Amino acid sequence: MTAESPLERERRDKVARWRAEGKEPYPWSFPHRVGTDVVRDACARLRPGEDDMAHPLRVAGRLRAIRVHGRTAFADLDDLAGSLQLFFRVDELGEEAFQAWIRDLDPGDIVGAQGAPAVSRRGEPSLLVTELTLLAKAIAPPPEKFHGLQDVEERIRRRYVDLLASPESRDRFRLRSALVAEAREFLHAEGFLEVETPVLLPIAGGAAAQPFVTRSNYLDEELQLRIALELPLKRLLVGGLERVFEIGKCFRNEDLDSTHSPEFTMLEAYWAYADYTDMRRLIEGLYARLGRRAREVAPENAKIAAAAEAFGRPFATVDFLDELERRSGITGLGTKGRDELRELARAAGSTVPADSSVGVFLDKLFEHYVEPHLTEPTFVLDHPTATTPLAKHHRAKPGRVERFEFFYRSYELGNAYSELNDPDEQERRFREQLSGRAAEQYAFDQDFVEALRYGLPPCTGVGIGVDRMVMALTGTPSIKEVILFPQARSA
RNA sequence: GGGCCCGUAGCUCAGUCCGGUCAGAGCAGGCGGCUCUUAACCGCAAGAUCGGGGGUUCGAAUCCCUCCGGGCCCGCCA
């Protein structure tokens, strides 16, 4: 650990003094407390300068600032409900107790206070303190009271300091919780069964990404951490569960940037006897509801209001190829060969390997020409077959699959298909995929094909990045700001 | 993988271009004052191997090399 600073030594001395006086600096509980909002409400009935000694209340929380005026003092106390000014006077506490308290309290200390709701002469709702209890002495000083913790690395490595110093950060993670709960309730109400499937798998499938690899001592086998939820969930539809979803961590052994984290939360839902058009309606309904919920939780926040507004309308809809041709000015993309597409992708700045598939080049062109324009909620429909091995071919458009991705602020929020359920075609597509350069890395999931042989009902499925969902609804530009403890190199 | 940028007191920041009272301020903490403040205020004193290591120089926070940590952009990631 870090060496003890002089500041910390002062604070430890205060703890020692506390104990010497027979008081416990780390007691066990503080019963019968109310939130600071309750005291504020009680103060609403009082005029400036008044107090209500007949109805004492107890609050507990962290001291943020202490302002001493000789024989009067004020302190700001934060709890999850907000903050409240504590008001100390010699008149209530007596000279000796007052001085002892003021001497030994520091910003960052966690205290419980009992007293009367009161409004200061300047009109600030307060608690006129008659009894104070130290609940936990803070040895480490909190960040600077006005600027808080600015260093991004420190905010990530010591999120607890960020949270204790920043109401905005606390609010963001509370909203995340509310949104995930809302998504869960939405799917439950739509008849989806929440399930949990394995994180550790012999072969991580369902997406193209490098897996993290670990090992079971008992099995004496290599295991991979899942990169998607898709394949186990579809097996459950084979088993007759009809509507299932899972919310859980997935792991991709790739770089970290403002919209990617190696460890991230995925929501996937699979729905039997429905197709991707049904899924579009479900997604619009989900996001509209999430927008309403975000607004309820944070009615004052302009970014959230803007996002809720955007998701309250039907999403825009564009065709993958039409939009790509329109934005790029290139025509006949659907019929061009691999060599031609490779040159177009290179001209657009992509450096993907020359032997990549047609689908890869089309994806690169789409990323370059179209994605920057997808700032409003937008469904992108009907991708070329070559881009997508797990989706069913389009019922009307040759060379396409029934797939949509949805975008907002130029990043992908999710991806859905009418799911491929023909076992022979699935095996063929897996083998085509394996014939590529990455064959060694992506051994295919033979048991999944075996499951399809028993009959997967026609179905649609969606994968939603939960972290990005929270970014979208809160207007947060970086994924690190919506993950409590993002990955960081060992210090 | 490529490029750009950052690291100075517990926290927030000046100082780096042009080497020489450049170790500075504010907050927090200590001491003293103040019975209505809310980034409280006033006075005094204290607090820093300037991310680590190496080099150039009479002299390095400042210039060079290297390492560590971080950020942003680009690339890669069915």
Side-chain angles (χ1 to χ4, degrees), chain A residues 154-449:
Chain A
E154 282 297 293
R155 289 187 30 232
I156 286 170
R157 286 187 194 277
R158 296 198 288 184
R159 182 68 86 184
Y160 45 92
V161 180
D162 176 41
L163 288 168
L164 74 86
S166 166
E168 296 76 21
S169 191
R170 285 199 295 271
D171 286 347
R172 191 177 318 114
F173 288 106
R174 293 171 80 188
L175 181 55
R176 176 177 175 132
S177 174
L179 291 174
V180 171
E182 193 74 8
R184 216 172 228 126
E185 278 175 37
F186 177 86
L187 289 168
H188 285 149
E190 293 288 334
F192 286 80
L193 187 73
E194 183 166 8
V195 299
E196 293 179 81
T197 66
V199 172
L200 294 171
L201 300 160
I203 299 162
Q210 292 281 340
F212 286 91
V213 176
T214 185
R215 185 154 196 92
S216 163
N217 292 336
Y218 172 68
L219 298 173
D220 192 25
E221 276 175 13
E222 179 184 297
L223 291 170
Q224 301 183 347
L225 275 63
R226 65 184 176 190
I227 56 176
L229 311 176
E230 178 151 1
L231 301 184
L233 292 178
K234 283 186 187 170
R235 283 174 168 92
L236 299 179
L237 264 53
V238 172
L241 295 186
E242 294 191 3
R243 297 182 193 193
V244 297
F245 78 100
E246 177 167 8
I247 297 174
K249 285 285 181 71
C250 292
F251 307 85
R252 296 185 180 179
N253 208 339
E254 315 265 359
D255 288 358
L256 189 155
D257 65 27
S258 62
T259 55
H260 295 82
S261 172
E263 176 178 347
F264 65 102
T265 303
M266 185 87 100
L267 186 169
E268 292 196 30
Y270 291 83
W271 180 7
Y273 310 111
D275 65 18
Y276 80 142
T277 302
D278 299 309
M279 185 60 85
R280 273 165 56 195
R281 288 198 294 269
L282 190 79
I283 294 299
E284 277 180 333
L286 171 64
Y287 273 82
R289 179 153 161 190
L290 292 172
R292 285 198 297 276
R293 181 72 183 126
R295 229 171 178 166
E296 282 171 19
V297 174
E300 310 289 325
N301 187 309
K303 280 186 191 170
I304 289 171
E309 172 76 18
F311 286 113
R313 297 187 294 266
F315 290 21
T317 301
V318 300
D319 177 277
F320 182 97
L321 271 186
D322 292 351
E323 189 67 6
L324 179 52
E325 294 192 345
R326 187 173 83 80
R327 290 286 184 187
S328 67
I330 305 166
T331 54
L333 276 173
T335 58
K336 288 195 192 304
R338 194 168 86 169
D339 292 345
E340 205 173 348
L341 289 170
R342 180 179 58 233
E343 291 317 309
L344 287 168
R346 294 221 161 148
S350 171
T351 60
V352 285
D355 58 353
S356 301
S357 72
V358 167
V360 169
F361 293 129
L362 286 170
D363 274 337
K364 289 294 147 194
L365 289 170
F366 192 85
E367 281 172 27
H368 181 259
Y369 287 109
V370 183
E371 286 187 12
H373 301 285
L374 300 178
T375 55
E376 290 299 305
T378 304
F379 289 124
V380 175
L381 298 185
D382 302 335
H383 298 56
T385 305
T387 61
T388 317
L390 289 157
K392 186 177 281 194
H393 65 83
H394 198 283
R395 66 194 76 185
K397 297 179 185 172
R400 311 278 207 102
V401 290
E402 294 198 353
R403 172 183 179 186
F404 68 84
E405 292 178 289
F406 47 114
F407 288 83
Y408 179 63
R409 291 174 177 264
S410 299
Y411 54 83
E412 184 197 343
L413 285 176
N415 184 26
Y417 317 135
S418 293
E419 301 291 343
L420 178 57
N421 62 345
D422 175 339
D424 295 335
E425 186 176 352
Q426 183 66 77
E427 179 155 6
R428 214 161 36 241
R429 293 222 213 153
F430 274 152
R431 290 197 185 287
E432 277 168 24
Q433 191 186 342
L434 283 175
S435 68
R437 306 158 55 248
E440 299 299 318
Q441 292 165 11
Y442 303 117
F444 86 81
D445 188 340
Q446 180 63 51
D447 182 74
F448 178 68
V449 174

Side-chain angles (χ1 to χ4, degrees), chain A residues 2-47:
Chain A
T2 49
E4 186 179 59
S5 72
L7 291 171
E8 294 185 0
R9 205 169 311 121
E10 287 287 347
R11 287 172 176 235
R12 285 185 193 283
D13 289 347
K14 292 175 182 177
V15 172
R17 198 149 63 210
W18 219 272
R19 289 206 160 103
E21 291 166 9
K23 293 185 284 190
E24 171 57 53
Y26 297 99
W28 291 261
S29 69
F30 188 74
H32 311 302
R33 79 175 182 110
V34 299
T36 52
D37 53 329
V38 173
V39 179
R40 296 183 75 92
D41 288 347
C43 289
R45 298 190 303 269
L46 304 173
R47 284 191 296 273

